[in-house]
Amino acid sequence: MDNHRKCVTIGAGMIAKENIESFTFLLEIFLKAFKKQPNIIVTDQDPAMKVAVSKVFTESKHRLCTWHITNKLPTKVCGDVENNAEFKSKFHKLVWSIYTRPEQFEKRWRELMEDTIFWEINGCQICMKFDIDGFHLILKMLNFVD
């Protein structure tokens, strides 16, 4: 990603299967070609990719692609978040701030969820208030963390 928040393609490869073995092979070839690990690698939430990245790029920081997370948001959160200007403003301010420390992010994320979001579980719309354990449970349900 460059300083304009645009993805920059460094390399490309084709694999027959999107599994741990194929991703590991591809990343090892990348490492062999470039002779050093990237500082940061940004991927989607593919579980096989996550395993392969941690295997091959032991010194790199693995981050999830904000575009993929943002596109999943309407399917994970009840309500019209795409057209909710207040939610979008708070969400983008939170996600795109380079000055926010991890503990600040988690606090502000909890506040955003408590203030704005209605969740749908099995067709029932509910509003949740939760502590940090509940917050991590929600992130697990959304496949954002392990």
Side-chain angles (χ1 to χ4, degrees):
M1 195 170 290
D2 67 11
N3 59 337
H4 301 288
R5 297 186 198 133
K6 302 293 182 195
C7 288
V8 178
T9 303
I10 304 297
M14 294 183 66
I15 52 178
K17 294 182 181 176
E18 292 186 3
N19 58 24
I20 295 169
E21 295 77 22
S22 296
F23 285 134
T24 300
F25 170 77
L26 188 63
L27 295 176
E28 286 172 344
I29 296 298
F30 177 91
L31 187 56
K32 187 175 178 181
F34 286 92
K35 303 196 182 353
K36 74 176 211 170
Q37 296 186 22
N39 293 329
I40 296 173
I41 182 163
V42 180
T43 68
D44 65 7
Q45 296 169 312
D46 188 294
M49 177 63 82
K50 180 179 179 180
V51 172
V53 167
S54 66
K55 251 183 179 177
V56 178
F57 296 141
T58 57
E59 299 169 16
S60 302
K61 292 179 183 175
H62 184 199
R63 298 294 183 254
L64 299 177
C65 174
T66 305
W67 183 86
H68 284 94
I69 292 171
T70 303
N71 280 353
K72 275 188 173 181
L73 207 55
T75 65
K76 303 287 185 180
V77 178
C78 291
D80 190 9
V81 294
E82 291 179 294
N83 294 313
N84 183 332
E86 181 183 358
F87 172 80
K88 282 173 73 171
S89 173
K90 288 179 180 179
F91 178 79
H92 288 285
K93 184 177 179 181
L94 175 64
V95 170
W96 291 110
S97 174
I98 62 171
Y99 303 108
T100 303
R101 311 253 334 129
E103 58 278 358
Q104 292 172 310
F105 178 88
E106 291 206 15
K107 179 182 180 286
R108 291 177 186 162
W109 179 261
R110 273 195 315 274
E111 291 169 354
L112 178 62
M113 295 297 104
E114 289 172 352
D115 291 345
T116 313
I117 305 304
F118 287 87
W119 302 89
E120 186 171 328
I121 299 175
N122 296 330
C124 298
Q125 203 174 65
I126 57 173
C127 181
M128 292 183 151
K129 299 272 185 193
F130 44 84
D131 58 11
I132 192 68
D133 293 331
F135 174 66
H136 286 291
L137 176 64
I138 293 297
L139 290 178
K140 284 180 184 180
M141 288 171 50
L142 297 176
N143 295 320
F144 289 149
V145 297
D146 290 329

